[in-house]
Amino acid sequence: MDKVIVIRYGEIFLKGKNRGFFEKLLINNIEKKVKKYDCKFSRSRGRYEISEYKLSQESDIVRDLQTVFGIKSVSIAQKIKSDIDIMTDVILSKMPKTGSFRINTHRADKTFPFTSPQISAIVGEKVLENNSSLTVDLHNPDIEVQIDVREGGHTYVFTDIVECAGGMPVGSAGKGLLLLSGGIDSPVSGYMMAKRGLSLDAIHFFSYPYTSLQAKEKVIELAKIISEFCGSINLVVVPFTKIQETIHEKCSPDFMITIVRRFMMRIAERVAIFRDCGCLVNGESLGQVASQTLQSITVTNDVIKKLPVFRPAIGMDKQEIIDISRKIGTYDTSVLPYEDCCTVFMPDSPVTKPTIQRAEIEEAKIGDIEALIEDALDNLEIVKIEI
Ligand code: ATP
Ligand code: MG
């Protein structure tokens, strides 16, 4: 009898002719995640399994599996031969001396000579014969035992089902470029898109010395935290000081943030195309601040010509975003008090209803926009975050 960790994956994406593609990615992502442990990963139809691991590492392995998108749930199980008496013995060993229980059976192996309800009934009866202090309660049992009869003659017996991240295997939907600030919303947005199968690169606009090296370290730290879910990330750091100084010098203060955003979007789109990313991702949430009104988003989005921009937080309340950031572990880093480039030179009352026409008039005052962008693109720094 072996103790194993059984991994269940979302069946939906594994149907149809893309099955091989999805499954390969999921297996790859799981193997990458558990390679630091001394353990064996194997697959059978419909389930994956981790075995031969150190018991002291069991909870760490489970916690790591919870960060792999595409896994629906895991259980720590006893793996036994598909045999009614052995099932009974294992269940007896899991039971307290007294109390109520219920058995749920799932039978994938249709050659096993009893149906699922029959297995539950037979094993349940044998358990009661062996311990008359136990009772069966189908509605509100103290313990629920699961019997999962697999093809190939083996069965998993377990009590707990640990819910995992769900979603699609990272990489299955292609790659996106995440505009990563030091705030709360953008790391959460990256996480949400990775859940739908995007792998990510990230881009950060950095205005040294107006924003400190600590602010950059904070962004690197955020990228590291989300890489636990999203996989390796190349973080592109764009020197943004000269652009911000120029906008500050030449444009009307109330348009500062609008024009800054338009530059970010232009640069992000070029970097994305160069790095084979098929979309941009940002942390905008409708109406959250002046730069995120419908009019502001229209004006910043206007400079994007080729790629879709995904904004998974667009319809979420701040508290909902904060809840996810706490769950994924970015919150404490996001709220560290280092300034973001968006707070540099910002006017007290930015325009909330900009127009494209006004933005173009303001930008005309800058002169050679292209030269500024080229200069920033020539001086990118790339920080590799490998998992
Ligand atoms: P966040 O919490 O993600 O910083 P926010 O509510 O502070 O969001 P803004 O600062 O207005 O909102 O930024 C909106 C979005 O623009 C961010 O979510 C992020 O995607 C992008 N962004 C802002 N500043 C930067 C930056 N310095 N580098 C990269 N992207 C940025
Ligand atoms: Mg911000």
Side-chain angles (χ1 to χ4, degrees):
M1 176 167 51
D2 297 323
K3 202 169 182 208
V4 300
I5 301 171
V6 187
I7 301 171
R8 289 174 220 89
Y9 43 79
E11 304 267 352
I12 301 158
F13 64 79
L14 286 179
K15 297 216 165 97
K17 57 180 183 319
N18 283 333
R19 184 188 171 110
F21 166 72
F22 282 116
E23 194 160 14
K24 211 168 145 193
L25 272 171
L26 181 56
I27 288 171
N28 216 332
N29 294 346
I30 295 172
E31 282 180 333
K32 259 193 231 157
K33 189 58 78 167
V34 299
K35 71 170 186 260
K36 61 176 181 250
Y37 300 107
D38 189 11
C39 66
K40 187 175 154 206
F41 172 78
S42 52
R43 43 194 285 233
S44 59
R45 272 181 67 178
R47 298 279 183 269
Y48 303 143
E49 176 190 296
I50 309 259
S51 57
E52 296 173 29
Y53 56 86
K54 290 202 185 83
L55 277 185
S56 60
Q57 294 181 329
E58 187 173 78
S59 55
D60 288 343
I61 298 175
V62 169
R63 206 198 46 229
D64 274 344
L65 291 172
Q66 285 182 286
T67 65
V68 179
F69 289 123
I71 297 181
K72 204 166 149 285
S73 61
V74 302
S75 291
I76 294 165
Q78 304 290 347
K79 186 180 185 184
I80 54 174
K81 219 172 106 198
S82 295
D83 175 285
I84 294 283
D85 287 333
I86 303 178
M87 291 175 198
T88 308
D89 287 345
V90 172
I91 291 175
L92 277 166
S93 75
K94 284 181 179 294
M95 286 291 172
K97 286 207 167 54
T98 59
S100 61
F101 70 96
R102 169 200 163 118
I103 297 175
N104 304 317
T105 303
H106 174 264
R107 183 183 61 135
D109 179 3
K110 302 300 177 204
T111 67
F112 193 73
F114 304 104
T115 64
S116 301
Q118 282 171 337
I119 297 169
S120 299
I122 298 169
V123 175
E125 212 157 292
K126 282 180 175 272
V127 169
L128 291 175
E129 275 167 22
N130 278 276
N131 182 347
S132 55
S133 312
L134 292 170
T135 54
V136 171
D137 184 344
L138 297 183
H139 302 294
N140 197 15
D142 298 330
I143 289 199
E144 265 190 86
V145 185
Q146 318 289 334
I147 298 178
D148 188 7
V149 184
R150 308 305 306 171
E151 282 146 334
H154 67 267
T155 290
Y156 298 120
V157 179
F158 51 93
T159 50
D160 294 329
I161 297 174
V162 181
E163 289 304 322
C164 293
M168 314 276 275
V170 167
S172 62
K175 187 164 71 164
L177 183 67
L178 170 68
L179 284 88
L180 185 60
S181 69
I184 295 170
D185 308 332
S186 46
V188 167
S189 300
Y191 166 87
M192 289 172 77
M193 294 317 303
K195 180 168 183 173
R196 297 308 304 159
L198 270 189
S199 66
L200 295 175
D201 276 347
I203 185 166
H204 177 68
F205 298 91
F206 182 50
S207 293
Y208 187 78
Y210 301 108
T211 56
S212 62
L213 287 173
Q214 284 163 307
K216 180 168 136 189
E217 286 306 317
K218 171 180 167 179
V219 172
I220 294 172
E221 180 58 26
L222 287 171
K224 275 191 191 149
I225 298 171
I226 60 168
S227 73
E228 287 289 323
F229 301 91
C230 315
S232 300
I233 294 176
N234 292 299
L235 170 65
V236 179
V237 181
V238 182
F240 206 50
T241 315
K242 200 157 143 199
I243 291 176
Q244 277 199 289
E245 283 174 342
T246 310
I247 299 170
H248 179 60
E249 187 191 327
K250 305 263 170 86
C251 303
S252 169
D254 59 340
F255 262 72
M256 180 84 203
I257 194 148
T258 312
I259 310 294
V260 162
R261 283 275 189 268
R262 282 164 62 96
F263 271 84
M264 284 186 183
M265 290 300 237
R266 287 186 178 102
I267 293 172
E269 186 175 49
R270 292 199 201 187
V271 169
I273 290 169
F274 182 74
R275 302 191 63 82
D276 263 343
C277 296
C279 64
L280 298 178
V281 178
N282 74 24
E284 286 170 329
S285 165
L286 190 63
Q288 195 187 79
V289 286
S291 59
Q292 296 174 26
T293 62
L294 183 54
Q295 292 85 348
S296 293
I297 293 176
T298 304
V299 176
T300 49
N301 200 67
D302 180 63
V303 299
I304 295 286
K305 300 299 176 206
K306 297 198 168 129
L307 301 180
V309 181
F310 294 147
R311 301 172 173 88
I314 198 73
M316 294 173 74
D317 291 345
K318 193 76 189 184
Q319 190 57 48
E320 292 174 290
I321 303 172
I322 288 174
D323 290 347
I324 298 178
S325 77
R326 286 192 197 277
K327 187 179 87 182
I328 66 177
T330 50
Y331 182 78
D332 290 343
T333 305
S334 287
V335 295
L336 291 174
Y338 309 123
E339 61 297 313
D340 179 65
C341 76
C342 292
T343 52
V344 178
F345 303 134
M346 282 310 156
D348 291 338
S349 50
V351 59
T352 53
K353 293 185 178 164
T355 61
I356 293 170
Q357 197 190 16
R358 240 323 273 296
E360 284 172 348
I361 291 169
E362 290 303 321
E363 281 177 352
K365 297 178 188 168
I366 294 174
D368 198 347
I369 288 181
E370 198 51 35
L372 277 174
I373 293 177
E374 287 296 330
D375 187 43
L377 289 173
D378 284 344
N379 291 288
L380 301 178
E381 180 199 352
I382 302 203
V383 181
K384 282 185 179 298
I385 290 148
E386 311 268 0
I387 65 145

